[in-house]
Amino acid sequence: MTLSSLLPMEIAAMRFIDLPQVAALEAAAQVFPWREEHFTDSLHAGDRGWVLWRGAQCLGFVLSMHAADEAHLLNLAVAPAVQRQGLGAKLLRHVLRDAAAVGIRRMYLETRASNQRAQTLYSAFGFQEIGLRKAYYPNGNGREDALVFCASLDNWKE
Ligand SMILES: CC(C)(COP(=O)(O)OP(=O)(O)OC[C@H]1O[C@@H](n2cnc3c(N)ncnc32)[C@H](O)[C@@H]1OP(=O)(O)O)[C@@H](O)C(=O)NCCC(=O)NCCS
């Protein structure tokens, strides 16, 4: 056990100064990562970002976009070294509660058809597959379909 692993975890609103760490985590976790400019644009556009910290260490993040009473989950990642410890679920719970608290009724997201672990996580939180976008994502030598998921937030209101 390291000293830093004894520090408490906290989720805080994503700030522009966090973006180098957020983008580095994204590059380590995703095969086709967003670049730092994507995160900058997203914050400038008013999207809601949250970062999971342990001390100064960025463990994960989540970003969503709100429009009227609907939200879109834009991105979610956990640092590879700390995956499968419940942190993705913690971030997803936080973003669902945050959205429900400001009156969002439904949250949508897209995920790669091949991303079984993300789909298992989303299904456990009540997301249901509602559609498919053909050839939505780039992959190594072509394009990959996206599955579209939606969850009602009625049960997430405090
Ligand atoms: C998807 C991701 C965010 C999950 O984060 P995580 O912290 O590892 O997830 P958790 O530990 O909270 O897991 C919650 C549940 O998700 C499912 N899950 C997570 N990782 C899994 C894996 N490798 N295999 C199968 N199921 C998995 C399980 O149901 C798990 O619950 P359990 O551990 O009780 O069985 C993480 O794997 C990640 O950052 N992946 C790369 C980026 C990505 O794909 N983001 C989603 C884009 S749509």
Side-chain angles (χ1 to χ4, degrees):
M1 188 185 294
T2 62
L3 273 180
S4 69
S5 69
L6 297 173
L7 292 171
M9 282 190 259
E10 61 170 348
I11 295 178
M14 189 183 286
R15 304 162 300 175
F16 287 100
I17 54 164
D18 302 331
L19 296 187
Q21 274 174 280
V22 167
L25 189 157
E26 164 83 353
Q30 307 262 26
V31 184
F32 290 89
W34 283 21
R35 294 193 308 273
E36 190 175 326
E37 305 90 89
H38 290 117
F39 291 99
T40 305
D41 291 347
S42 185
L43 288 191
H44 274 304
D47 298 335
R48 298 165 87 90
W50 301 98
V51 182
L52 177 62
W53 297 99
R54 188 189 279 129
Q57 191 189 3
C58 173
L59 302 179
F61 66 83
V62 63
L63 261 172
S64 68
M65 178 178 70
H66 291 184
D69 63 353
E70 294 184 347
H72 202 108
L73 188 75
L74 299 172
N75 203 342
L76 166 70
V78 169
V82 290
Q83 287 181 5
R84 210 64 202 268
Q85 296 176 26
L87 305 187
K90 192 180 184 71
L91 283 160
L92 191 53
R93 196 174 299 116
H94 183 86
V95 80
L96 288 164
R97 282 200 185 125
D98 170 59
V102 295
I104 300 292
R105 306 285 313 279
R106 281 173 300 281
M107 186 173 287
Y108 293 86
L109 63 88
E110 283 105 23
T111 183
R112 287 176 183 271
S114 63
N115 196 348
Q116 193 58 53
R117 54 189 174 157
Q119 290 163 38
T120 307
L121 172 62
Y122 297 137
S123 298
F125 277 79
F127 281 88
Q128 294 187 329
E129 191 182 327
I130 57 160
L132 179 141
R133 295 192 207 283
K134 291 294 278 179
Y136 187 75
Y137 293 110
N139 70 8
N141 40 18
R143 310 284 300 178
E144 179 177 1
D145 297 344
L147 303 182
V148 184
F149 282 76
C150 180
S152 161
L153 271 54
D154 290 348
N155 294 331
W156 285 94
K157 290 190 207 118
E158 299 268 290

